[in-house]
Amino acid sequence: MTTGTPPSSQAYGEPWYWDNRYAHESAPFDWYQKYPALAPLIRIYVPHRHQRVLVVGCGNSAFSEEMVNDGYEVVVNVDISSVVIEAMQAKYSNWQQLKYIKLDVRDMSPFQSGSFDAVIDKGTLDSILCGNNSRQNAAQMLDEVWRVLKEKGVYILVTYGAPVYRLGLLKESCTWSIKLHVIAKFGPEGSSEQPARELTDPIPLDESGSSVEDVLGKNPDVHYIYVCTKLPKAKQ
């Protein structure tokens, strides 16, 4: 499959799946990685704690709470599931630094253009790529992410998608400067295994992304982290 998507996961792209899941599973769950594992990288690319951060597809993750505990002052969270947003609004009603809003990432019109310094995505683009009209919906999402970012703002995408599946999509949609990092997947106790490479050390990227295999070998057991810095759109 051109998206690198497991064929059994198509429901991940559908809103009803998430409403149903969160109605039955209320315990916090973090997709892919938890904040302590990613914090060294986030602190590099979002260095100032007053910077405005948007977490897309937040679910019921503790990730944003842990960002606030690390000193970040404005963390806005969006999800397509009204079930989980209502639960998180109630849970964090006394946390001034956290906001939870029901929103479709393909249309974030309530946010003004250039209103965030960083957008963090752990699995939301992957979920969209599982659904119907995946390529079109992913492009709409990326256009909106690019729009709400300030110039030189960063989109931090954590994904299972190797560069051969993700680089083209990122480059087709918007104008980015892209760096790639990797992190080992969770071990059995929920912490990352011995790193395949130092998290903060970018991997050299060629145009197609094939250079990554030279560094990591075939089918490395990692999550890929694309740090996409917003550049001005080229003039027509």
Side-chain angles (χ1 to χ4, degrees):
M1 297 179 70
T2 56
T3 58
T5 302
S8 61
S9 59
Q10 187 172 359
Y12 288 172
E14 307 303 329
W16 58 262
Y17 169 85
W18 297 107
D19 276 339
N20 184 64
R21 176 170 177 148
Y22 291 125
H24 293 90
E25 299 179 17
S26 58
F29 180 81
D30 265 293
W31 287 91
Y32 297 168
Q33 299 287 334
K34 297 182 179 181
Y35 180 72
L38 294 175
L41 196 67
I42 291 173
R43 292 171 188 147
I44 290 173
Y45 291 108
V46 193
H48 305 298
R49 297 304 195 269
H50 65 269
Q51 289 178 294
R52 288 173 53 83
V53 177
L54 173 65
V55 177
V56 293
C58 61
N60 58 12
S61 166
F63 192 90
S64 297
E65 175 186 334
E66 291 171 329
M67 286 197 74
V68 169
N69 289 337
D70 196 25
Y72 289 95
E73 298 171 5
V74 183
V75 184
V76 179
N77 303 268
V78 299
D79 201 285
I80 200 168
S81 169
S82 58
V83 172
V84 81
I85 287 297
E86 289 169 9
M88 297 300 270
Q89 286 172 340
K91 181 177 181 178
Y92 293 106
S93 59
N94 294 325
W95 291 58
Q96 294 182 348
Q97 306 96 324
L98 290 172
K99 291 184 179 179
Y100 287 87
I101 303 168
K102 181 186 180 296
L103 210 58
D104 186 329
V105 291
R106 297 170 299 173
D107 178 9
M108 296 192 283
S109 51
F111 299 139
Q112 293 183 352
S113 298
S115 51
F116 292 97
D117 297 283
V119 175
I120 298 175
D121 172 3
K122 293 194 300 124
T124 298
L125 182 66
D126 288 355
S127 293
I128 285 177
L129 287 169
C130 292
N132 296 318
N133 301 317
S134 60
R135 201 79 181 184
Q136 176 183 347
N137 289 332
Q140 289 175 347
M141 172 191 166
L142 291 169
D143 281 345
E144 279 293 87
V145 167
W146 190 93
R147 182 186 65 79
V148 302
L149 278 172
K150 297 178 181 178
E151 190 171 329
K152 297 185 179 179
V154 292
Y155 171 44
I156 300 175
L157 168 64
V158 184
T159 171
Y160 61 77
V164 292
Y165 299 117
R166 295 292 181 267
L167 266 188
L169 180 62
L170 290 166
K171 291 179 178 179
E172 286 168 15
S173 59
C174 305
T175 50
W176 307 104
S177 170
I178 302 174
K179 290 185 178 180
L180 176 65
H181 299 258
V182 294
I183 187 170
K185 291 181 178 178
F186 276 171
E189 301 302 319
S191 59
S192 291
E193 296 280 14
Q194 191 69 22
R197 184 182 178 91
E198 186 65 36
L199 172 64
T200 55
D201 186 11
I203 291 178
L205 265 180
D206 59 11
E207 195 65 24
S208 66
S210 59
S211 58
V212 174
E213 189 174 299
D214 296 335
V215 177
L216 300 177
K218 289 187 176 181
N219 303 315
D221 196 22
V222 300
H223 287 126
Y224 298 89
I225 306 169
Y226 300 86
V227 180
C228 309
T229 302
K230 177 178 177 177
L231 302 175
K233 282 191 175 177
K235 294 181 179 179
Q236 301 295 320

